[in-house]
Amino acid sequence: MTRYRADIDGLRAIAVIPVLLFHVGVPGFSGGFVGVDIFFVISGYLICGMIDADIRNGSFSLANFYERRILRILPALFVMFLVTSVLAAIYCLPVELVDYARSLASAVASISNVYFAQTAGYFDAPAETKPLLHTWSLGVEEQFYFAAPLLMLLVHRFLPKRTGLLFAIIAVVSFAGALAMSARNPTFAFYLAPFRAWELALGALLSVEFLPVPESAFWRNAGGAAGLILLLGVIAFGSSAVPLLAMTGLAAVGTVLVIASSERAISVAGRLLSLRPLVFVGLISYSLYLWHWPLTVFQRTDAVFFTESSASAKLTLIVLSIGIAYLSWKLVETPFRTLAKGASKTAIFGATSATMASTVGLCGIVILLSGAPFRFPKRIVEIGSFLAYDSSAAFRTGRCFLSTSRQQLDTETCLKPDPARPNYLLVGDSHAAHLWSGLSLAMPEINIMQATASLCRPAIVAGSRYDTPVCRTLMEFVFGDFLVHKHVDGVLLAASWKDEDLPVLSSTLQSLKSRGIDVTVLGPIVEYDAALPRLLVDGILHDTPSIASAKRTPGIRERDLAMKRMVTATGATYLSVYDAICRDDRCDELVQGNIPMQFDAGHLTAEGAIEVGRRLSAAFARKQARAADVSN
């Protein structure tokens, strides 16, 4: 177990290269994010195997163990923190810098995975804007290694030769917990250590010889080949749309097979992984993982290194990441590892504690200064502040808009009819919820009730790939209970419509028509490839006002026209939200002054909702007038 295995360095390359290419956006690596899972299994195998060997021969020391972990992890990590923080101070808007400071403080404390799990809300900034998001995996590993040595020592003391049983229990309990949490809160299942520990435990089970390894050359080669094929298949053909545990499970099993194949003697897979180019990438894999993500984030959000986004730009980013990773490995990682031979533990622990404390202190100052807004002109600060926009009041989140599985619709508030006014029910996802306040204010003569949930297409039958248990429960209640037993004057259906939603929407319209329910469909809104406030700020900073219009999501106008034809053909009413914002290929990006129409890539600010509601109300009034003429 203590012998050096070049094939494991090669396996590290198989882990980090797909992660790099996936994040940079190279086609053919749609499952590249499972590289992190490969790292987890490798770490469990190497570290727990080392601990077990030292415990059995009586040489294990917690102080020595943590000293080695500090010198292995922290020097390169803190150099990356330093450079990334300088870039953040230069380029991040105030609200972004505050978020960065919080993530940095949590990463220093080895709990960034907890921080990102708690802050990854439905309207949270997208992953590609968070320079330290990748440190979540380090948090998982560090938390595991705070607990694992203590548990192994206890087991060795009271239940000798039961270390394998310990990790088997951890693996089973952790996997079962991940399975349960995936249905309840997928974000927690992704980020938190208790639901990732099974991957590290699988590696540990192999290292303590709890899992069998192939003895014959045939089975070594067969197992290694199967593992490599499994890994490469998941990397090439996997997808974030596939359930997380299916992806991580296949990657973990493939990794175990590859490692086990060369446990007794080198397999063909092991020889392939021992090729010098792969070993080289494996040696720098830790630094490459550290550096590639912040470089990618700052390039995407601020074009720090080059302005174009072509294939050559992606190649440049890859080469830049590898080059900096090599320098980090050569000048930081390697020298600091040699310190373990001469430096005292007191000096190492003292310097580490001082560095961590000062970093957290600086983060606190940044937060107290509200992200240092004096770095930018007032207009940029005002527009950029909408990146931290709180939509909960306007959306009535937690009552009429359900954003988590733990929330329930407040029927007394959201579905209360008004006998003195016409009653309309607004049904759909967040793109329905963001219209409620504007429509209600623009049409006070109408009582607009609301039943909305995140990622929830307003459909009688399931059919959308975005369907969630919360959505299905809400839709079954709305269409199978409320509209059956309660009279409404009309139903408003709104969502972030996609092309594949049209057949399900058509069947819903036909069903509601057969029940004599008047239906109005509100079409898709203009969306962008990034948050509109950030695009507007970039346009000001780079003196390029057309940045936002160039970043509009393609195909929405065409979808809007197709929906209009389909909806009107069924006899329902169609209102174009797109036309309420865009005219002659120009879309309103600011409502008034420095207030953006939308606070992220597609959702309306309160002021934007009021303006859109005012524009839609005119068309809605004409619909009511026509209905009144028919009834008379």
Side-chain angles (χ1 to χ4, degrees):
M1 178 55 230
T2 57
R3 64 186 173 92
Y4 170 70
R5 286 181 54 177
D7 62 302
I8 290 183
D9 271 329
L11 189 57
R12 285 192 175 108
I14 299 298
V16 77
I17 291 173
V19 170
L20 169 63
L21 299 180
F22 171 75
H23 285 155
V24 171
V26 176
F29 294 86
S30 58
F33 56 88
V34 300
V36 173
D37 305 284
I38 300 173
F39 276 128
F40 283 158
V41 177
I42 293 174
S43 293
Y45 171 78
L46 292 176
I47 306 303
C48 291
M50 179 191 68
I51 295 172
D52 182 62
D54 287 349
I55 289 175
R56 283 190 283 107
N57 64 31
S59 64
F60 180 76
S61 161
L62 279 174
N64 289 338
F65 172 75
Y66 290 125
E67 177 190 18
R68 287 195 299 267
R69 299 311 296 161
I70 286 172
L71 293 174
R72 171 71 178 93
I73 293 173
L74 295 190
L77 180 64
F78 272 88
V79 171
M80 184 274 289
F81 283 161
L82 176 62
V83 176
T84 304
S85 297
V86 171
L87 291 174
I90 296 172
Y91 293 105
C92 285
L93 298 173
V95 296
E96 294 172 328
L97 190 60
V98 168
D99 182 68
Y100 174 81
R102 288 172 175 157
S103 67
L104 176 57
S106 65
V108 168
S110 300
I111 55 170
S112 63
N113 61 321
V114 178
Y115 172 77
F116 290 121
Q118 291 178 335
T119 57
Y122 184 68
F123 299 107
D124 189 41
E128 58 266 22
T129 66
K130 298 176 181 293
L132 299 182
L133 182 67
H134 63 320
T135 62
W136 74 268
S137 64
L138 300 181
V140 169
E141 288 200 27
E142 288 159 12
Q143 290 156 30
F144 184 83
Y145 292 125
F146 278 127
L150 300 175
L151 291 174
M152 293 174 73
L153 284 169
L154 285 173
V155 168
H156 181 75
R157 173 69 176 83
F158 297 105
L159 294 169
K161 300 181 181 180
R162 291 293 184 269
T163 303
L165 180 60
L166 165 69
F167 285 114
I169 293 171
I170 290 174
V172 170
V173 172
S174 173
F175 188 85
L179 192 62
M181 187 56 69
S182 294
R184 182 174 177 82
N185 192 325
T187 300
F188 279 17
F190 183 90
Y191 283 113
L192 298 186
F195 312 116
R196 290 287 193 162
W198 64 270
E199 298 177 77
L200 292 114
L202 271 183
L205 285 170
L206 186 59
S207 69
V208 299
E209 301 181 352
F210 187 86
L211 296 178
V213 297
E215 301 289 345
S216 69
F218 173 80
W219 287 113
R220 285 199 301 271
N221 293 328
L228 268 184
I229 291 171
L230 193 56
L231 288 178
L232 296 177
V234 174
I235 290 166
F237 303 108
S239 167
S240 56
V242 177
L244 176 66
L245 280 181
M247 295 287 292
T248 58
L250 291 172
V253 170
T255 305
V256 168
L257 288 173
V258 171
I259 295 174
S261 72
S262 296
E263 185 73 356
R264 294 288 183 263
I266 194 75
S267 66
V268 172
R271 289 192 183 95
L272 289 173
L273 292 173
S274 299
L275 294 174
R276 291 187 66 181
L278 288 177
V279 172
F280 168 75
V281 175
L283 290 172
I284 67 169
S285 60
Y286 174 58
S287 283
L288 183 54
Y289 182 77
L290 289 182
W291 283 99
H292 86 282
W293 180 247
L295 293 176
T296 302
V297 168
F298 283 112
Q299 173 55 32
R300 284 180 180 170
T301 57
D302 299 283
V304 172
F305 307 108
F306 34 82
T307 55
E308 70 274 13
S309 57
S310 61
S312 61
K314 293 178 180 179
L315 178 61
T316 303
L317 191 58
I318 292 169
V319 172
L320 184 64
S321 298
I322 294 174
I324 295 177
Y326 173 74
L327 292 176
S328 173
W329 171 73
K330 188 73 173 178
L331 303 178
V332 181
E333 282 192 67
T334 303
F336 270 93
R337 287 183 190 178
T338 63
L339 284 179
K341 301 176 182 178
S344 69
K345 291 182 179 60
T346 302
I348 292 173
F349 289 131
T352 300
S353 300
T355 303
M356 294 172 66
S358 59
T359 303
V360 172
L362 288 173
C363 292
I365 292 173
V366 171
I367 294 169
L368 290 174
L369 291 175
S370 301
F374 52 79
R375 296 173 298 128
F376 295 98
K378 180 181 179 182
R379 186 176 185 225
I380 287 177
V381 173
E382 289 180 358
I383 295 175
S385 68
F386 282 87
L387 291 170
Y389 186 80
D390 184 359
S391 63
S392 57
F395 283 49
R396 301 199 287 182
T397 302
R399 293 178 297 151
C400 307
F401 172 65
L402 311 181
S403 60
T404 73
S405 60
R406 297 180 295 277
Q407 296 170 348
Q408 293 186 337
L409 191 72
D410 182 354
T411 55
E412 182 62 27
T413 299
C414 312
L415 299 179
K416 186 175 183 180
D418 185 344
R421 295 183 292 170
N423 293 285
Y424 282 77
L425 175 60
L426 175 64
V427 186
D429 60 12
S430 59
H431 283 230
H434 75 170
L435 292 170
W436 177 84
S437 61
L439 292 173
S440 296
L441 289 171
M443 299 184 291
E445 71 280 4
I446 297 175
N447 176 43
I448 301 180
M449 300 175 287
Q450 178 186 355
T452 55
S454 62
L455 299 173
C456 192
R457 301 297 188 266
I460 292 178
V461 296
S464 171
R465 60 190 172 101
Y466 300 102
D467 271 337
T468 64
V470 173
C471 175
R472 277 297 93 215
T473 299
L474 181 63
M475 292 302 101
E476 288 169 4
F477 167 71
V478 167
F479 294 114
D481 186 347
F482 183 81
L483 290 177
V484 172
H485 300 102
K486 302 289 184 181
H487 169 75
V488 297
D489 295 280
V491 173
L492 309 175
L493 305 181
S496 176
W497 303 107
K498 301 294 183 287
D499 292 338
E500 60 264 30
D501 296 325
L502 269 61
V504 177
L505 173 61
S506 179
S507 63
T508 298
L509 294 176
Q510 296 289 353
S511 178
L512 293 176
K513 181 181 179 181
S514 68
R515 291 157 60 175
I517 297 175
D518 180 69
V519 182
T520 297
V521 175
L522 296 139
I525 194 171
V526 59
E527 297 182 40
Y528 301 87
D529 291 344
L532 179 59
R534 182 74 216 195
L535 295 175
L536 294 174
V537 165
D538 289 344
I540 297 170
L541 290 173
H542 300 294
D543 194 24
T544 311
S546 61
I547 284 181
S549 61
K551 291 288 186 177
R552 285 186 220 149
T553 303
I556 293 181
R557 177 56 174 163
E558 292 75 13
R559 186 178 306 130
D560 178 54
L561 295 174
M563 287 188 66
K564 182 177 182 179
R565 290 191 295 269
M566 185 271 288
V567 171
T568 53
T570 66
T573 301
Y574 186 78
L575 297 181
S576 174
V577 180
Y578 191 96
D579 284 344
I581 298 177
C582 304
R583 296 173 300 281
D584 300 325
D585 200 38
R586 291 185 67 258
C587 299
D588 293 330
E589 297 161 355
L590 293 167
V591 183
Q592 50 183 287
N594 296 324
I595 301 176
M597 180 69 75
Q598 289 145 290
F599 63 85
D600 59 6
H603 295 95
L604 294 166
T605 59
E607 294 80 3
I610 292 171
E611 181 60 25
V612 171
R614 183 185 66 78
R615 297 175 186 180
L616 290 174
S617 66
F620 199 79
R622 291 193 294 270
K623 163 188 163 65
Q624 288 187 297
R626 289 194 298 269
D629 291 339
V630 171
S631 63
N632 291 332

